[in-house]
């Protein structure tokens, strides 16, 4: 009997060691163990292929960077095997040598406090100097240390004039930020300054989209936070406030309405003069995001004041764009003619010209509960997965390239170029809101790897050349929001987390609560399905969804380990040139 016990013990020991080795290579579920991986990714991928007897995928996007892989793997592995001294497999279990585990497995409270203080310091450096040197102008010119507004000498300077409207933009845009930072006294002072000094009766031609997300959104957000009876940020109200911020928001929205007039499609003109309406020389082309990202702010305003006009025109524009999508792919282009409905720009992607259109379909549904919005979003999301997504099916399992969303032709789904832009970094956050957390983790890691390499997100990054195409960085917030939505560990005691309210961010980062008031309409829908927006129209030749997942894909044990296995983090760093 003793020899049988010994034999059974040896079998159990061998099976145990085999399982531990299996875990060490990262091929199984993460059970909280941090093992060192002694092989590089190329050797690991070779092991995958030998085990599964599969060939590299033909549609690998990384082959555009590195070319065919493993051409000399056989000789390389042979020489490595001959020259390398024998090592005990127990050496693979030394987790202390894994740089990713050391760097990312914890975020100490002292470091969080330090980073929080640094964020506040950066904000006040900008805000205080704006108030000192630039107010009441729109923004501070950091070179001359002077305020500036619209470029009246050069009306064609749309980079400046689309945004700056001679209405103290920076002051309005920072109102809710002051409350998030806990500065109630400065918030109250800023609100009073806005009430006393800001007027929209100006001969300024601004972009409808920019005025909406920066000015209208901030005024609405500040008003809601100021009048919230739950006082999540403390007693922020003050005597004498009579809804002036809401009145200013209403006044601005009325001045933006002419953009929706005299268009054959209902899609608005891109620009409007705040005093005189649409300029006579206005162009008839607009981007999908600019025309289709007004519904959150316009919808909240309509439901606060009981006037359906603003939500109606914004929703009509979304429906008009939706009805222009491709019958073949279900995708939209990025530039459209508002009179003819013809696509001028046929590129479909997640970045500039498209981003917030998708964002606001889902956020509008979260806020207003309109099933129409969610049906459009889910159909759009499926088309994105089917035609833009490249890489392996699962973020944290299997072999192949990490997920990447590329720019494609809206009609054929073929890749149009090899760059992505910094605006696309919003998408992981949107995936979190949709419950597709697994894919969000992987895509976020890709943008973070680019950040690690350059210290910022280039405006455009060429994934084939591993280099920026456009070199500047205009302080965009998209990656920050995605990071926040994935990893809320930064300021746990903030009222945003402690309040009974749930909050959502507008595309400009303004805070609005998910309030039952926004799910109630004080009007009847006279044209609920105008222009057939809700007709069921399945695109022809539509393949099956590739990776539409949900929170249940994340096993419980993985929530206490690295969100992305070290081997895949290392792979992504390699793909963008971080070594």
């Amino acid at each position: 009997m003793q020899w049988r016990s010994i034999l059974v013990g040896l079998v159990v020991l061998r099976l145990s060691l085999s399982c531990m080795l299996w875990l060490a290579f990262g091929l199984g579920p993460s059970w909280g163990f941090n093992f060192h991986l002694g092989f590089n990714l190329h050797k690991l991928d070779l092991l995958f292929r030998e085990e599964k007897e599969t060939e590299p995928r033909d549609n690998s996007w990384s082959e555009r960077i590195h070319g065919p892989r493993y051409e000399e793997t056989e000789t390389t592995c042979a020489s490595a095997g001959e020259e390398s001294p024998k090592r005990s497999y127990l050496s693979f279990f030394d987790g202390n040598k894994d740089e990713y585990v050391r760097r990312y497995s914890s975020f100490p409270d002292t470091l969080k406090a330090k980073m929080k203080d640094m964020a506040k310091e950066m904000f006040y450096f900008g805000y205080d100097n704006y108030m000192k040197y630039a107010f009441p102008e729109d923004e501070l010119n950091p070179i001359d240390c002077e305020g500036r507004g619209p470029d009246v000498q050069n009306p064609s300077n749309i980079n400046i004039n689309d945004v700056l409207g001679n209405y103290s933009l920076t002051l309005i845009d920072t109102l809710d930020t002051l409350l998030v930072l806990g500065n109630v006294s400065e918030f109250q002072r800023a609100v009073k300054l806005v009430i006393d000094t800001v007027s929209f009766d100006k001969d300024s031609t601004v972009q409808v989209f920019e005025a909406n997300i920066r000015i209208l959104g901030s005024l609405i957000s500040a008003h809601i936070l100021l009048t919230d009876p739950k006082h999540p940020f403390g007693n922020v109200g003050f005597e004498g406030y009579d809804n002036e911020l809401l009145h200013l928001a209403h006044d601005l929205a009325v001045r933006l309405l002419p953009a929706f007039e005299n268009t054959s499609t209902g899609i608005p003109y891109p620009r409007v003069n705040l005093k005189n309406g649409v300029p006579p020389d206005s162009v008839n082309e607009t981007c999908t995001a600019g025309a289709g990202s007004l519904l959150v702010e316009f919808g909240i305003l309509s439901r606060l004041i009981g006037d359906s006009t603003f939500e109606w025109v914004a929703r009509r524009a979304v429906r008009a764009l939706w009805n222009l999508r491709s019958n073949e792919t279900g995708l939209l282009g990025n530039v459209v003619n508002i009179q003819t409905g013809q696509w001028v720009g046929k590129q479909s992607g997640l970045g500039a010209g498209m981003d917030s259109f998708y964002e606001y379909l889902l956020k509008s549904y979260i806020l207003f509960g309109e099933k129409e919005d969610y049906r459009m979003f889910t159909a759009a999301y499926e088309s994105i997965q089917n035609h833009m997504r490249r890489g392996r099916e699962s973020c944290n399992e299997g072999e192949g390239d990490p997920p990447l969303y590329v720019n494609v032709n809206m009609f054929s789904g073929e890749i149009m170029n090899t760059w992505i832009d910094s605006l696309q970094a919003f998408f992981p956050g949107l995936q979190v809101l949709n419950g597709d957390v697994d894919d969000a983790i992987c895509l976020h890691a890709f943008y973070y790897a680019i950040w690690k390499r350059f210290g910022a997100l280039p405006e455009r990054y060429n994934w084939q050349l591993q280099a920026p195409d456009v070199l500047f960085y205009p302080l965009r917030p998209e990656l920050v929001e995605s990071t926040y939505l994935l990893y809320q560990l930064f300021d746990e005691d903030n009222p945003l987390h402690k309040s009974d309210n749930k909050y959502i961010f507008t595309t400009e980062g303004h805070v609005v609560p998910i309030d039952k008031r926004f799910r109630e309409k004080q009007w009847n829908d006279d044209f609920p399905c105008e222009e057939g927006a809700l007709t069921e129209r399945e695109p022809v030749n539509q393949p099956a969804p590739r990776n539409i997942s949900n929170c249940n894909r994340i096993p419980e044990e993985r929530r206490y380990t690295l969100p992305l296995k070290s081997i895949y983090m290392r792979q992504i760093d390699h793909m963008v040139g971080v070594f």
Side-chain angles (χ1 to χ4, degrees):
M1 296 298 292
Q2 185 175 6
W3 67 270
R4 291 183 178 178
S5 301
I6 295 174
L7 180 60
V8 171
L10 289 173
V11 171
V12 171
L13 177 62
R14 181 170 181 176
L15 288 174
S16 300
L17 290 175
S18 297
C19 290
M20 294 174 72
L21 281 172
W22 182 66
L23 289 171
F25 289 117
L27 308 183
S30 298
W31 290 348
F33 303 105
N34 297 322
F35 295 134
H36 174 60
L37 184 62
F39 297 125
N40 61 35
L41 279 172
H42 286 192
K43 295 177 182 176
L44 180 63
D45 205 5
L46 179 64
L47 289 174
F48 276 125
R49 281 205 283 142
E50 289 177 347
E51 181 177 329
K52 298 186 177 181
E53 298 181 352
T54 58
E55 294 297 324
R57 293 165 26 148
D58 294 334
N59 63 348
S60 167
W61 65 265
S62 68
E63 287 189 3
R64 292 174 175 264
I65 301 174
H66 303 289
R69 294 176 293 179
Y70 313 120
E71 292 180 354
E72 57 273 294
T73 301
E74 183 175 348
T75 57
T76 302
C77 288
S79 61
E82 294 168 359
E83 298 173 5
S84 300
K86 292 184 177 179
R87 299 175 58 196
S88 167
Y89 41 72
L90 294 177
S91 64
F92 292 122
F93 301 155
D94 184 2
N96 292 329
K97 294 182 180 179
D98 191 314
E99 59 178 304
Y100 293 92
V101 172
R102 288 201 311 269
R103 184 179 302 177
Y104 301 118
S105 61
S106 66
F107 196 170
D109 290 339
T110 53
L111 180 58
K112 274 192 259 188
K114 180 179 179 181
M115 300 298 286
K116 184 169 69 172
D117 290 342
M118 288 176 63
K120 284 186 176 181
E121 183 180 350
M122 286 189 290
F123 169 79
Y124 284 114
F125 177 79
Y127 177 78
D128 291 344
N129 281 290
Y130 164 76
M131 294 303 296
K132 182 177 180 180
Y133 296 107
F135 176 78
E137 300 289 338
D138 285 310
E139 66 180 14
L140 174 65
N141 185 329
I143 305 300
D144 300 330
C145 205
E146 295 177 349
R148 67 181 175 193
D151 187 353
V152 294
Q153 303 299 324
N154 183 14
S156 64
N157 184 4
I158 59 175
N159 286 331
I160 292 294
N161 294 332
D162 274 357
V163 179
L164 308 186
N166 195 21
Y167 37 36
S168 300
L169 168 67
T170 299
L171 178 64
I172 296 176
D173 212 9
T174 56
L175 290 177
D176 54 343
T177 305
L178 289 167
L179 273 190
V180 171
L181 293 178
N183 196 336
V184 174
S185 60
E186 184 60 22
F187 168 78
Q188 293 174 333
R189 186 177 84 93
V191 168
K192 293 174 183 177
L193 277 175
V194 169
I195 294 172
D196 293 339
T197 64
V198 172
S199 169
F200 298 121
D201 189 25
K202 301 289 178 64
D203 186 15
S204 298
T205 299
V206 297
Q207 192 184 90
V208 175
F209 170 76
E210 295 287 354
N212 173 66
I213 65 172
R214 295 174 187 265
I215 303 299
L216 186 62
S218 185
L219 290 171
I220 290 172
S221 171
H223 167 76
I224 294 171
L225 298 177
L226 186 62
T227 57
D228 190 336
K230 297 180 181 178
H231 304 296
F233 293 91
N235 189 13
V236 301
F238 55 86
E239 185 177 355
Y241 178 72
D242 190 23
N243 299 327
E244 287 91 345
L245 295 183
L246 184 60
H247 297 323
L248 280 171
H250 185 199
D251 178 49
L252 175 60
V254 169
R255 296 174 186 273
L256 298 179
L257 282 180
F260 296 86
E261 300 171 359
N262 301 316
T263 78
S264 302
T265 61
I267 301 171
Y269 284 93
R271 296 173 183 87
V272 68
N273 184 283
L274 295 178
K275 186 185 287 284
N276 303 314
V278 176
D281 59 347
S282 184
V283 298
N284 288 327
E285 297 174 0
T286 189
C287 69
T288 303
S293 305
L294 308 171
L295 186 52
V296 165
E297 291 84 0
F298 274 45
I300 293 176
L301 178 64
S302 279
R303 298 187 185 219
L304 284 175
I305 66 176
D307 184 347
S308 65
T309 302
F310 307 100
E311 180 174 340
W312 186 81
V313 296
R315 195 170 287 282
R316 182 180 63 171
V318 172
R319 290 169 175 166
L321 288 165
W322 184 246
N323 286 328
L324 296 176
R325 69 195 188 280
S326 166
N327 288 323
E328 294 294 325
T329 65
L331 299 173
L332 294 82
N334 58 350
V335 180
V336 67
N337 186 298
I338 66 172
Q339 301 296 355
T340 66
Q342 296 296 310
W343 289 106
V344 179
K346 299 177 178 61
Q347 176 175 299
S348 192
L350 299 179
M354 302 281 309
D355 53 343
S356 52
F357 175 80
Y358 304 119
E359 177 188 0
Y360 269 25
L361 289 179
L362 182 57
K363 289 185 175 179
S364 294
Y365 171 70
I366 292 172
L367 285 169
F368 307 130
E370 299 288 348
K371 294 181 180 179
E372 171 191 9
D373 298 329
Y374 191 59
R375 280 197 288 264
M376 286 189 285
F377 173 77
T378 53
Y381 193 74
E382 182 175 315
S383 295
I384 289 169
Q385 298 297 318
N386 288 333
H387 298 287
M388 298 183 197
R389 192 183 188 278
R390 300 295 189 270
R392 62 178 176 268
E393 181 177 354
S394 177
C395 165
N396 220 28
E397 299 172 357
E399 62 177 309
D401 297 324
L404 177 73
Y405 292 84
V406 299
N407 299 317
V408 301
N409 182 286
M410 64 171 290
F411 297 109
S412 67
E414 297 295 324
I415 294 179
M416 291 190 68
N417 49 58
T418 58
W419 53 260
I420 58 176
D421 63 50
S422 60
L423 291 167
Q424 289 179 254
F426 89 97
F427 199 64
L430 192 66
Q431 291 181 304
V432 172
L433 295 179
N434 191 44
D436 199 356
V437 179
D438 202 31
D439 228 25
I441 289 170
C442 225
L443 189 59
H444 177 271
F446 179 75
Y447 291 109
Y448 178 55
I450 299 174
W451 181 284
K452 285 190 294 185
R453 180 179 175 189
F454 299 105
L457 279 187
E459 187 68 348
R460 280 187 186 176
Y461 174 78
N462 191 307
W463 47 263
Q464 181 178 27
L465 302 177
Q466 293 185 320
D469 274 354
V470 179
L471 301 181
F472 66 86
Y473 167 59
L475 303 176
R476 296 198 184 277
E478 284 75 14
L479 182 60
V480 175
E481 181 182 0
S482 289
T483 304
Y484 169 78
L485 290 173
L486 268 171
Y487 306 106
Q488 294 182 16
L489 42 63
F490 299 103
D491 186 9
E492 290 89 344
D493 295 327
N494 196 283
L496 282 178
H497 303 144
K498 295 291 188 180
S499 169
D500 292 336
N501 293 335
K502 300 295 184 183
Y503 295 93
I504 201 167
F505 294 104
T506 70
T507 195
E508 187 62 15
H510 294 300
V511 180
V512 292
I514 301 173
D515 194 317
K516 64 179 182 181
R517 290 179 298 169
F518 304 152
R519 298 206 164 201
E520 300 170 355
K521 293 183 290 189
Q522 303 176 41
W523 61 84
N524 295 321
D525 285 325
D526 294 328
F527 306 99
C529 298
E530 184 186 81
E531 300 175 1
L534 299 184
T535 56
E536 298 296 331
R537 176 159 63 92
E538 291 296 329
V540 181
N541 299 325
Q542 187 81 320
R546 294 178 58 177
N547 185 36
I548 298 180
S549 58
N550 53 53
C551 293
N552 294 329
R553 284 185 59 114
I554 310 298
E556 182 70 20
E557 63 270 9
R558 266 191 54 205
R559 300 178 188 181
Y560 305 100
T561 61
L562 289 181
L564 187 62
K565 292 176 183 176
S566 296
I567 55 171
Y568 296 127
M569 295 179 72
R570 187 176 289 108
Q571 180 193 31
I572 290 174
D573 281 354
H574 176 72
M575 291 292 187
V576 302
V578 178
F579 300 104

